[in-house]
C-alpha cells in the first residue's frame, strides 16, 4: 500500500519532469516565433538576426539571476522563462523597426544616420516604458507569498537586461555592422530571388515614399495657365 508521503513524492517527480519538458518546449517554440515576428515587424532579416541574438542574451541573463538566487525549476520559473522572451522582444523590435524605416521614410541609407535617427526617435520612448514597467513590478517585493517576489525579481531583471542589451548591444551592433541601404530587406531579397513582380502584384513590395511621383495638375491651375498663355493680340482680334 502506497503511503501519502510516497504518493506526494511520486507526484512531485512527475511534476518536475513535466515542468522540464514544458520549459524547453516553450523556449524551443518561442524563439522561432519571436524571430518570425521580428522579420514581419522590421522587414529586414539582418536586423531580426541581431535582435534575436540580443533576446537570447537577455533570457540567458535572467535565467542566470534565477540560478544565482538558488531557485530550482518550479512553476513560477517555467512560466517566467516564456514570459521573459515576450518582454525581451518589446524594446529591440521598436528600435529595429525605426532603424529600418529610416531608409524608407527619411531616405537615410548609412548606418550612422539611421542609428542617430533611431536613437533620437525611439530611445526616449523605450526608457519611459522601461521606467513604468520597472516601477509596476516593485510592489511585488512587498508581498508575502513567495511566488510574487520571484515574479518581481524576474520582471525587474528582465527590464534591466532588456534596456542594457537593446540600447547597448543591439544598437551598437547596428552602428558597427548594421545593414546599409536596402540590404537585408524582404523586398531586396525578393528582387534577388526574382520574386519582386509577384510581391508587387500582391501589394507586399515596399516602395520608397520619398521617390519622385508623377505630378498631377490641378484643373483650375491648368485653366489659369492656359488663359495666361493666350496672347492679348489674339483676344483683341477675336473681339
Amino acid at each position: 500500500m502506497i503511503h501519502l508521503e510516497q504518493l506526494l513524492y511520486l507526484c512531485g517527480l512527475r511534476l518536475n519532469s513535466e515542468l522540464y519538458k514544458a520549459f524547453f518546449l516553450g523556449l524551443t517554440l518561442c524563439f522561432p516565433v519571436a524571430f518570425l515576428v521580428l522579420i514581419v515587424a522590421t522587414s529586414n532579416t539582418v536586423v531580426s538576426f541581431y535582435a534575436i541574438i540580443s533576446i537570447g542574451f537577455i533570457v540567458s541573463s535572467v535565467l542566470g539571476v534565477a540560478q544565482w538566487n538558488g531557485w530550482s525549476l518550479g512553476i513560477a520559473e517555467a512560466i517566467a522563462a516564456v514570459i521573459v522572451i515576450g518582454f525581451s522582444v518589446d524594446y529591440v523590435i521598436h528600435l529595429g523597426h525605426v532603424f529600418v524605416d529610416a531608409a524608407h521614410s527619411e531616405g537615410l541609407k548609412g548606418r550612422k544616420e539611421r542609428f542617430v535617427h533611431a536613437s533620437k526617435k525611439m530611445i526616449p520612448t523605450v526608457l519611459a516604458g522601461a521606467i513604468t514597467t520597472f516601477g509596476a513590478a516593485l510592489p511585488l517585493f512587498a508581498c508575502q507569498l513567495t511566488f510574487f517576489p520571484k515574479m518581481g525579481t524576474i520582471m525587474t531583471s528582465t527590464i534591466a537586461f532588456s534596456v542594457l542589451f537593446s540600447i547597448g548591444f543591439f544598437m551598437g551592433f547596428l552602428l558597427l555592422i548594421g545593414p546599409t541601404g536596402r540590404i537585408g530587406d524582404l523586398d531586396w531579397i525578393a528582387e534577388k530571388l526574382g520574386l519582386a513582380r509577384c510581391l508587387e502584384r500582391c501589394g507586399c513590395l515596399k516602395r520608397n515614399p520619398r521617390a519622385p511621383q508623377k505630378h498631377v495638375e490641378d484643373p483650375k491651375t491648368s485653366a489659369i495657365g492656359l488663359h495666361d498663355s493666350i496672347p492679348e493680340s489674339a483676344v483683341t482680334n477675336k473681339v
Side-chain angles (χ1 to χ4, degrees):
M1 183 177 180
I2 300 178
H3 296 285
L4 180 60
E5 294 181 357
Q6 295 176 343
L7 181 62
L8 292 176
Y9 178 75
L10 293 176
C11 291
L13 290 178
R14 182 62 183 272
L15 177 62
N16 288 333
S17 176
E18 294 298 326
L19 284 175
Y20 274 104
K21 291 180 181 179
F23 174 77
F24 289 107
L25 179 62
L27 293 179
T28 305
L29 293 177
C30 284
F31 272 100
V33 171
F35 185 66
L36 292 177
V37 171
L38 287 167
I39 290 179
V40 172
T42 62
S43 300
N44 189 286
T45 55
V46 178
V47 174
S48 300
F49 179 70
Y50 294 160
I52 204 67
I53 293 176
S54 303
I55 293 171
F57 285 147
I58 296 169
V59 174
S60 301
S61 300
V62 175
L63 295 179
V65 171
Q67 180 66 28
W68 180 64
N69 287 326
W71 299 342
S72 59
L73 183 61
I75 297 176
E77 291 78 13
I79 295 174
V82 180
I83 295 177
V84 165
I85 300 176
F87 273 116
S88 306
V89 173
D90 190 22
Y91 301 145
V92 293
I93 198 172
H94 285 87
L95 293 170
H97 172 72
V98 176
F99 182 87
V100 175
D101 187 65
H104 300 283
S105 61
E106 302 295 330
L108 303 176
K109 302 299 182 183
R111 299 188 188 100
K112 185 177 180 180
E113 292 81 4
R114 297 163 78 174
F115 170 82
V116 172
H117 173 76
S119 299
K120 290 181 178 179
K121 190 172 182 180
M122 191 51 61
I123 286 183
T125 305
V126 168
L127 291 177
I131 292 172
T132 55
T133 309
F134 191 90
L138 292 180
L140 294 174
F141 290 100
C143 299
Q144 295 181 354
L145 193 62
T146 309
F147 175 81
F148 294 108
K150 279 188 177 182
M151 291 302 297
T153 302
I154 290 171
M155 287 183 63
T156 52
S157 59
T158 301
I159 298 302
F161 285 120
S162 295
V163 172
L164 177 64
F165 282 105
S166 62
I167 298 178
F169 175 80
F170 177 65
M171 292 299 290
F173 246 49
L174 293 180
L175 177 61
L176 295 176
I177 53 176
T180 58
R182 296 172 57 240
I183 295 177
D185 286 353
L186 294 181
D187 55 351
W188 177 80
I189 295 175
E191 290 178 2
K192 295 296 182 181
L193 297 176
L195 302 175
R197 184 174 298 179
C198 298
L199 293 178
E200 187 176 0
R201 290 177 181 176
C202 299
C204 300
L205 188 63
K206 282 188 176 181
R207 293 300 181 188
N208 192 345
R210 297 175 66 90
Q213 299 179 357
K214 294 182 179 180
H215 178 68
V216 180
E217 295 185 351
D218 189 358
K220 295 182 180 180
T221 307
S222 301
I224 294 173
L226 181 61
H227 176 72
D228 293 340
S229 63
I230 299 176
E232 293 183 1
S233 56
V235 177
T236 306
N237 294 333
K238 185 176 180 180
V239 176

